Amino acid sequence: MTAAATGVRATARIVARDDGRGGTSLPVLEGDGPLALRRTRGSGDEAHVMLVGAMSGPLGGDHFAVRAGVEAGARLRVGSAAATIALPGQAKGEARYDVRLTVADGAELRWLPEQLISAGGSDLRVTTHADLAATARLVLREEQVLGRVGEEPGRLVSRLVVRIEGRTLLDQELDCGPGAPGGWDGPAVLGGHRAVGQAVVVRPEFEDRPVSARVLGEGAAVVPLAGPAALVTAVAPDALRLRRVLDEALKSLG
């Protein structure tokens, strides 16, 4: 970790590997400053890791990064102990939170962090890149909450990119809050809702049995992607109802 007038720089790294005995080992599990990693009790051959926020943030000017790689045959689930709250800071400029995920052939990653809350006055850019091999599996959930109770949100730009064998399945960006292009809160985007989320499920069997597009109640839908994957998008009045909708959608996808 480094700290300067421009904010805090911190990186967390995870490598999951098939241990050859029916389980998954973690030869690399390291984080610094606000990004602490803890291994928790796994299930079967799946290793579980919890991302624990050791400090407030990200604040203005901070740059956090998480790198997670799942090697061939390994299974990893990553969650977080609490919501991440983007806050204004003394340093000028936007904060950045970069996540890079790689999943090898025959490996599986379940990336299920808690919500990201965009507090009033904050300015955060989040980017998530997931690069998968041909037979990799992925379940990835992202949830953003715009403002705390009774509070206007900060500026939040969130981009998600998913690739298989270098081919882009999804490249999507959401820009909302003060300074964002007009219409972000209108009926074509959030429709006045303050919680927005998405989930991506990648499975080799979807290649032969694509997911059917369908609406899931009010404010949510499942659509197939151009590959062995499906995308769930949802908006809701609050974080609790958003989680409920996404959980139901993931259950419907098996």
Side-chain angles (χ1 to χ4, degrees):
M1 180 187 70
T2 61
T6 55
V8 174
R9 304 289 185 268
T11 301
R13 295 180 179 85
I14 308 169
V15 174
R17 179 175 298 161
D18 184 348
D19 65 6
R21 303 187 301 275
T24 297
S25 64
L26 298 171
V28 178
L29 188 65
E30 55 187 34
D32 54 20
L35 299 175
L37 298 171
R38 300 288 184 268
R39 181 166 190 167
T40 59
R41 184 185 298 273
S43 57
D45 59 353
E46 183 181 67
H48 290 186
V49 172
M50 193 70 69
L51 182 61
V52 181
M55 296 168 56
S56 296
L59 309 177
D62 290 352
H63 185 183
F64 296 172
V66 179
R67 307 285 183 259
V70 188
E71 298 182 358
R75 297 183 64 213
L76 174 66
R77 177 188 177 113
V78 179
S80 56
T84 297
I85 304 178
L87 297 165
Q90 295 182 344
K92 295 182 179 179
E94 68 179 13
R96 292 174 57 192
Y97 202 131
D98 297 325
V99 177
R100 290 197 173 268
L101 313 172
T102 57
V103 190
D105 276 316
E108 180 176 339
L109 172 63
R110 296 171 61 82
W111 186 262
L112 302 168
E114 293 301 311
Q115 297 93 351
L116 168 64
I117 300 173
S118 175
S122 64
D123 186 355
L124 176 64
R125 176 177 290 271
V126 181
T127 57
T128 302
H129 286 81
D131 289 288
L132 281 64
T135 60
R137 294 170 175 267
L138 174 71
V139 177
L140 182 151
R141 183 186 68 210
E142 289 189 337
E143 300 166 302
Q144 291 98 27
V145 179
L146 306 181
R148 293 169 290 193
V149 176
E151 175 185 65
E152 289 299 309
R155 177 72 178 273
L156 176 64
V157 180
S158 176
R159 183 184 180 193
L160 172 61
V161 180
V162 179
R163 298 187 181 96
I164 295 182
E165 295 287 285
R167 179 169 60 93
T168 300
L169 296 187
L170 177 69
D171 190 341
Q172 178 171 287
E173 183 173 277
L174 174 69
D175 188 348
C176 51
W184 65 270
D185 199 23
V189 186
L190 297 186
H193 293 91
R194 281 296 178 264
V196 56
Q198 55 194 349
V200 177
V201 179
V202 179
R203 290 182 174 169
E205 55 266 33
F206 287 169
E207 194 75 68
D208 298 323
R209 300 190 301 276
V211 172
S212 299
R214 58 188 184 274
V215 174
L216 299 173
E218 183 179 353
V222 177
V223 295
L225 298 177
L231 171 67
V232 181
T233 56
V235 294
D238 55 53
L240 181 62
R241 276 175 277 191
L242 177 67
R243 174 65 59 84
R244 187 177 301 147
V245 169
L246 290 177
D247 281 351
E248 290 175 357
L250 289 174
K251 185 181 296 184
S252 75
L253 292 172

